[in-house]
Amino acid sequence: GNSVTQMEGPVTLSEEAFLTINCTYTATGYPSLFWYVQYPGEGLQLLLKATKADDKGSNKGFEATYRKETTSFHLEKGSVQVSDSAVYFCALPVSGSARQLTFGSGTQLTVLP
Amino acid sequence: DAGITQSPRHKVTETGTPVTLRCHQTENHRYMYWYRQDPGHGLRLIHYSYGVKDTDKGEVSDGYSVSRSKTEDFLLTLESATSSQTSVYFCAIRIGTGEHEQYFGPGTRLTVT
């Protein structure tokens, strides 16, 4: 079935550094792909999505490109801020069930001033 | 804001007692989900609902039951709480049938002593 493998953390960066969080997937067909963010003490929030191959999702300075050749959906940001400190999750629909999502294990990002 | 609230937000209970968590949505969406989040396990689906009185099991349903007697409310019950059920519980909704993304509530932190 569909699954996602996410870069293990934690990741610690200085403010204004470049961020990459790796996500690779295994899927039947070309399902939508998602990045979620969870700030301390809060629920997950949808950060961005891509619905088909070669799509680029973007939001709040974050970007991720749906690459079918490498089965990847890496999250990037050119210049991180302290306020970006959070846990980031990659996700995609469960195969055979568009009703459900399967999530990666999450990557903790800490940005230092 | 997807209009999702969870109650209670925090609860401490003793082993063997019943516990019910409530998820409430304000927009009459058909799909609702219950997840638990634990360190090292990421986010795992407990149960989900696709309509009033229509529910199905997720990955970790043992020890949990759910009910949905109204569109807006989805209840998660631990019939006899155990320490292994200490976790943070999130409710989510899926908006529409054409999209797969889910929107999460703020979470309930449950401690079973």
Side-chain angles (χ1 to χ4, degrees):
Chain A
N2 293 356
S3 64
V4 60
T5 301
Q6 195 172 332
M7 170 181 176
E8 290 190 14
V11 174
T12 302
L13 297 173
S14 297
E15 206 165 23
E16 299 184 2
F18 184 86
L19 168 71
T20 299
I21 299 178
N22 290 340
C23 172
T24 57
Y25 65 89
T26 301
T28 302
Y30 301 104
S32 296
L33 301 174
F34 307 94
W35 275 103
Y36 281 83
V37 59
Q38 184 179 30
Y39 299 103
E42 298 184 11
L44 278 69
Q45 300 176 25
L46 180 65
L47 179 60
L48 56 82
K49 68 176 182 179
T51 58
K52 60 183 186 294
D54 300 325
D55 260 4
K56 177 183 286 188
S58 62
N59 186 24
K60 300 182 180 179
F62 291 89
E63 294 183 339
T65 301
Y66 191 157
R67 299 198 185 279
K68 62 181 180 180
E69 300 85 0
T70 54
T71 61
S72 65
F73 191 55
H74 303 325
L75 183 68
E76 298 180 333
K77 186 175 186 182
S79 177
V80 293
Q81 306 300 311
V82 172
S83 57
D84 294 325
S85 297
V87 182
Y88 293 82
F89 294 89
C90 188
L92 78 167
V94 170
S95 58
S97 176
R99 302 169 172 182
Q100 300 181 43
L101 293 177
T102 185
F103 292 83
S105 55
T107 301
Q108 171 76 56
L109 170 66
T110 300
V111 181
L112 303 175
Chain B
D1 183 1
I4 307 168
T5 57
Q6 293 185 232
S7 59
R9 293 293 314 280
H10 302 271
K11 186 170 182 66
V12 179
T13 192
E14 293 184 350
T15 297
T17 59
V19 176
T20 296
L21 309 183
R22 179 180 183 242
C23 177
H24 178 78
Q25 58 150 326
T26 59
E27 300 181 359
N28 293 321
H29 296 293
R30 182 180 173 192
Y31 291 93
M32 299 183 76
Y33 305 81
W34 276 108
Y35 292 88
R36 60 178 290 175
Q37 185 177 34
D38 306 287
H41 292 279
L43 213 63
R44 293 181 292 176
L45 181 65
I46 305 171
H47 282 279
Y48 69 99
S49 171
Y50 47 97
V52 172
K53 298 184 180 178
D54 291 325
T55 65
D56 207 349
K57 295 179 179 180
E59 176 187 358
V60 290
S61 59
D62 288 349
Y64 301 95
S65 62
V66 290
S67 66
R68 193 160 177 210
S69 58
K70 298 185 293 184
T71 300
E72 59 265 36
D73 289 326
F74 191 31
L75 304 181
L76 177 70
T77 298
L78 292 65
E79 300 291 347
S80 177
T82 67
S83 58
S84 65
Q85 294 175 312
T86 292
S87 186
V88 181
Y89 291 86
F90 289 100
C91 175
I93 62 172
R94 179 180 159 199
I95 295 176
T97 56
E99 301 297 330
H100 305 296
E101 60 261 38
Q102 296 174 16
Y103 295 84
F104 286 78
T108 294
R109 182 172 294 278
L110 176 67
T111 302
V112 183
T113 62

